[in-house]
Amino acid sequence: MKALKHLNKYFYKYRIQLIVGVIITIIAKIFALFTPRLIGDSINIVSDRLDGKITQEVFESALLVNILYIVGAAVIACIFTFLMRQTIINVSRYIEYDLKNEIYQHYQILSLNFYKSNRTGDLMNRISEDVGKVRMYVGPALMYTINTITLFTVAIIYMVSTAPKLTLYTLIPLPILSVAIYKLSRMINKRSTIVQQSLSTLSTYSQETFSGITVIKSYGIEPRTNREFEGLSSENRQKQINLTKVQALFFPLMILLIGVSNLIVIYVGGMQYMNGEIENIGTIAEFIIYVNMLTWPVATVGWVTSLVQQAEASQERINEFLKTQPDIENRSQELTPIKGDIEFKNVSFVYPDTNIEALKDVSFTLKSGETLAILGKTGSGKSTILDLIGRLYDIDHGTILVDNTEISHLNLYSLRESIGYVPQDAFLFSDTIKNNIKFGKEDATEEEVILAAKNARVHKNIIGFNKGYDTILGERGITLSGGQKQRVSIARAIIKQPDILLFDDCLSAVDTETEEKILKNLVQLTKDKTTIIVSHRVSSAKNADHIIVLDDGKVLQAGTHESLINTEGYYKELYTKQLSEKEIQ
């Protein structure tokens, strides 16, 4: 139960509703337990009439009053039972809502390393399936526990006050029940954990398959993926069956023990009545009703125990993530405006997940409003520089200054708010094109959206769609071509009008003519903004104020376009090669 202690703060938050729910439960059960006593009393009245102890008139009158009391008690118990469910089950939905928000908000602050080491399907499973299991604990499990405890307490008080010795015999099976529950609960806890892990694996595989459906169809490997999914489903089915087999032992065991209790009541109660230890025959009937009223609560003990064990296994998985601390800490609460001066001083960086040294002693200075172009071979560390400026990672050695302040001392959200970032792999959401562009500026007007699209040279493509800017994109923007996705991503960045613009090889999927037009627009848009352009093309770099060439994480060359094309080295070779290719085209 240690894992479930995390929920105590929510129980405290909704303590008033829960207290009211408990009070309503007690009232409901008290009225429900009037019925056995009234029925027992009615049987005694019938017995007295048969023995001639009372007249027909008294018999009819007393019986009618008891019937009215029984109906009245049942109606009141029904009303309070309804209110009990409304109160406690509603609280479980509130806690489910709060817990999902807590998990999602925690996911948002975790660093990129977390997402590299955990699969999307597993993350989704913990915020959906696992939270659903926890809700069953804070809702139905809690409600039936309160219900059972109240019913047992009130019923046993009534039973002891009526026939203490018979009550003792009736409750003999309960210790056996307790031991059985303890043993089975431990088995359920272990198997529930295994089932949840299996569900995460299944969810992850499904998510990856749906995300990569284009590749699967292109390679014609649907039969193979079907076989793999069938294998995972088969494993999950077997694990679910193993859990169900243990859970299935509960109800037969409960019914057996309740049946034994009934037999004890009839036999022992009958013997006591014949020996004169029990005065009224109605007491036996009353006890049989009490035992049968306890049948469902006792039966739910197993079900509730199963829910608690599953919830504990799920909450343990949730806590595992909630206890994960982000690698990137926001060390300043002061929201300061960013001008855009950037300086790298002997920066070295090793990716913690792969242990690859991406940057080695990199230095450069960029003033606010200037443009830096970064070129180099694949894997030379170009994109890493942009990640470090956005503080997606913290460096190992050296210093990164933004506005002459060490980057780790700036407010994290203030820093990122000042950045417009266009990633190499353009990610678009399953929403309208308009909303994808407005993602950079939520309150942007339609005119601003269109202007941004025009500057990104994607406006004509968008109006060519049937619904124009209201076109709904598929997952990850699959509706658009690679070049269109990149240009929508550029529009999303520039509409924000940030102080720092980072372009990570975002024109690789467009033709050279469109690239020239976009770059021409960007020159005008980035006049007073610090801009860094990562590219494989000299055409994207030639207008930059500064150019650096990276190779294996080191600065191989640095200068302006004019100085570098007149210097033997990588940049001149690349320029000559791309110039020749352009002439051939």
Side-chain angles (χ1 to χ4, degrees):
M1 297 289 286
K2 288 182 180 179
L4 295 174
K5 287 182 179 179
H6 181 81
L7 301 172
N8 288 347
K9 60 184 178 182
Y10 294 124
F11 288 135
Y12 182 77
K13 179 179 179 181
Y14 299 106
R15 62 192 181 280
I16 296 175
Q17 292 94 319
L18 289 172
I19 291 170
V20 170
V22 171
I23 293 171
I24 290 172
T25 302
I26 294 171
I27 294 171
K29 292 308 146 192
I30 288 174
F31 276 98
L33 287 166
F34 282 169
T35 303
R37 180 152 289 189
L38 290 168
I39 290 175
D41 187 48
S42 298
I43 291 174
N44 291 332
I45 292 170
V46 172
S47 177
D48 289 344
R49 176 68 186 116
L50 292 174
D51 292 339
K53 294 179 179 179
I54 57 174
T55 63
Q56 181 68 23
E57 186 177 332
V58 173
F59 165 72
E60 291 177 358
S61 175
L63 201 60
L64 179 61
V65 169
N66 274 4
I67 290 171
L68 291 175
Y69 279 150
I70 290 170
V71 172
V75 170
I76 294 172
C78 180
I79 292 171
F80 277 96
T81 300
F82 170 78
L83 294 174
M84 171 190 72
R85 296 185 66 87
Q86 287 294 303
T87 305
I88 297 177
I89 297 300
N90 282 356
V91 167
S92 76
R93 289 298 182 184
Y94 291 138
I95 293 177
E96 178 186 32
Y97 169 81
D98 290 341
L99 186 58
K100 282 186 176 181
N101 282 336
E102 181 186 0
I103 297 169
Y104 185 78
Q105 288 166 11
H106 191 69
Y107 279 172
Q108 294 283 72
I109 66 170
L110 291 174
S111 309
L112 287 184
N113 281 335
F114 172 82
Y115 291 96
K116 287 184 177 181
S117 57
N118 291 282
R119 294 185 174 186
T120 304
D122 188 29
L123 301 181
M124 293 170 61
N125 193 67
R126 299 197 193 205
I127 203 172
S128 55
E129 288 289 331
D130 284 322
V131 172
K133 298 285 185 185
V134 172
R135 189 201 71 80
M136 293 298 288
Y137 161 69
V138 298
L142 179 64
M143 182 182 71
Y144 283 113
T145 298
I146 297 170
N147 184 35
T148 301
I149 292 172
T150 305
L151 189 60
F152 260 91
T153 303
V154 178
I156 289 173
I157 291 172
Y158 280 176
M159 291 165 74
V160 169
S161 64
T162 304
K165 189 175 178 181
L166 182 57
T167 302
L168 182 63
Y169 279 107
T170 304
L171 299 178
I172 285 175
L174 291 183
I176 302 171
L177 179 64
S178 300
V179 173
I181 288 173
Y182 174 74
K183 295 288 185 184
L184 290 174
S185 295
R186 296 189 65 178
M187 295 175 65
I188 286 174
N189 187 27
K190 292 178 182 177
R191 297 191 184 191
S192 294
T193 302
I194 293 170
V195 166
Q196 289 303 102
Q197 290 170 346
S198 176
L199 282 172
S200 289
T201 302
L202 197 60
S203 298
T204 297
Y205 186 85
S206 302
Q207 188 271 332
E208 289 180 346
T209 300
F210 299 148
S211 295
I213 194 66
T214 304
V215 176
I216 290 171
K217 287 184 176 293
S218 299
Y219 280 82
I221 58 174
E222 293 94 333
R224 190 179 84 190
T225 56
N226 285 340
R227 287 194 303 271
E228 291 174 353
F229 183 81
E230 187 176 344
L232 291 173
S233 295
S234 179
E235 288 179 18
N236 179 257
R237 178 189 62 192
Q238 189 56 50
K239 289 169 182 175
Q240 293 275 15
I241 289 172
N242 291 340
L243 174 60
T244 305
K245 283 179 180 177
V246 179
Q247 292 174 329
L249 293 173
F250 271 113
F251 284 96
L253 183 61
M254 303 304 126
I255 301 303
L256 173 64
L257 293 173
I258 295 301
V260 171
S261 293
N262 275 324
L263 290 175
I264 291 173
V265 170
I266 293 170
Y267 177 75
V268 176
M271 294 296 292
Q272 287 183 342
Y273 179 72
M274 288 187 293
N275 294 333
E277 295 178 37
I278 294 177
E279 295 181 4
N280 300 312
I281 189 67
T283 301
I284 297 175
E286 185 179 336
F287 266 67
I288 289 174
I289 296 171
Y290 280 136
V291 169
N292 282 278
M293 284 185 73
L294 294 174
T295 300
W296 171 242
V298 171
T300 60
V301 169
W303 179 61
V304 166
T305 305
S306 172
L307 290 182
V308 172
Q309 295 297 328
Q310 290 180 56
E312 184 177 12
S314 292
Q315 188 63 48
E316 196 169 332
R317 284 162 46 80
I318 292 170
N319 291 348
E320 181 186 347
F321 279 177
L322 291 178
K323 289 176 182 177
T324 303
Q325 295 300 314
D327 299 328
I328 308 300
E329 296 180 11
N330 187 17
R331 298 171 186 166
S332 172
Q333 300 304 315
E334 185 181 353
L335 296 174
T336 54
I338 304 295
K339 292 191 301 180
D341 292 340
I342 299 173
E343 184 177 1
F344 274 50
K345 290 183 178 181
N346 308 114
V347 172
S348 297
F349 175 71
V350 177
Y351 279 103
D353 54 328
T354 60
N355 209 32
I356 294 174
E357 190 174 13
L359 296 178
K360 304 170 186 175
D361 202 31
V362 172
S363 298
F364 65 81
T365 300
L366 192 61
K367 296 295 182 183
S368 175
E370 293 184 338
T371 300
L372 170 69
I374 306 174
L375 284 81
K377 298 175 183 177
T378 301
S380 60
K382 303 184 300 296
S383 298
T384 302
I385 289 178
L386 302 189
D387 289 343
L388 295 179
I389 292 172
R391 208 178 159 221
L392 299 179
Y393 298 96
D394 278 335
I395 58 175
D396 300 307
H397 301 287
T399 306
I400 298 177
L401 300 176
V402 175
D403 294 346
N404 295 317
T405 303
E406 193 169 338
I407 194 169
S408 60
H409 294 158
L410 291 171
N411 181 277
L412 187 62
Y413 303 106
S414 181
L415 172 68
R416 291 176 179 172
E417 183 65 28
S418 68
I419 294 174
Y421 177 53
V422 185
Q424 187 175 4
D425 181 18
F427 185 95
L428 301 179
F429 297 91
S430 298
D431 202 341
T432 63
I433 296 175
K434 180 196 298 182
N435 286 341
N436 266 283
I437 295 175
K438 288 176 70 174
F439 186 81
K441 186 181 179 182
E442 192 175 353
D443 59 348
T445 63
E446 190 167 346
E447 290 74 19
E448 288 176 310
V449 171
I450 293 172
L451 179 61
K454 286 181 177 178
N455 285 324
R457 306 297 296 181
V458 73
H459 172 70
K460 289 183 179 179
N461 298 109
I462 296 173
I463 60 175
F465 294 120
N466 290 334
K467 294 184 179 180
Y469 283 86
D470 292 320
T471 301
I472 300 289
L473 301 181
E475 187 176 359
R476 301 178 69 92
I478 197 171
T479 311
L480 305 179
S481 68
Q484 289 169 342
K485 284 194 287 187
Q486 285 188 335
R487 282 175 282 160
V488 170
S489 189
I490 291 171
R492 180 169 65 190
I494 61 180
I495 198 174
K496 186 179 178 181
Q497 297 184 345
D499 300 291
I500 301 171
L501 277 165
L502 307 177
F503 298 102
D504 189 1
D505 203 14
C506 59
L507 297 173
S508 58
V510 301
D511 58 83
T512 52
E513 182 181 350
T514 304
E515 179 192 24
E516 289 288 346
K517 292 176 181 177
I518 293 173
L519 289 171
K520 185 178 179 181
N521 291 337
L522 289 179
V523 168
Q524 298 299 319
L525 292 168
T526 61
K527 275 183 179 179
D528 57 344
K529 305 181 188 304
T530 304
T531 308
I532 299 180
I533 300 173
V534 167
S535 181
H536 286 91
R537 296 177 181 173
V538 172
S539 55
S540 297
K542 63 183 181 182
N543 294 320
D545 299 300
H546 308 282
I547 299 171
I548 61 173
V549 178
L550 294 180
D551 183 44
D552 193 28
K554 300 177 181 177
V555 177
L556 189 65
Q557 290 181 290
T560 62
H561 174 71
E562 288 73 17
S563 66
L564 291 174
I565 60 173
N566 292 313
T567 305
E568 295 298 325
Y570 177 86
Y571 189 87
K572 183 178 180 180
E573 291 173 7
L574 185 64
Y575 173 73
T576 305
K577 179 183 177 182
Q578 292 182 359
L579 187 63
S580 301
E581 289 174 351
K582 189 174 181 181
E583 288 174 352
I584 292 172
Q585 293 173 355

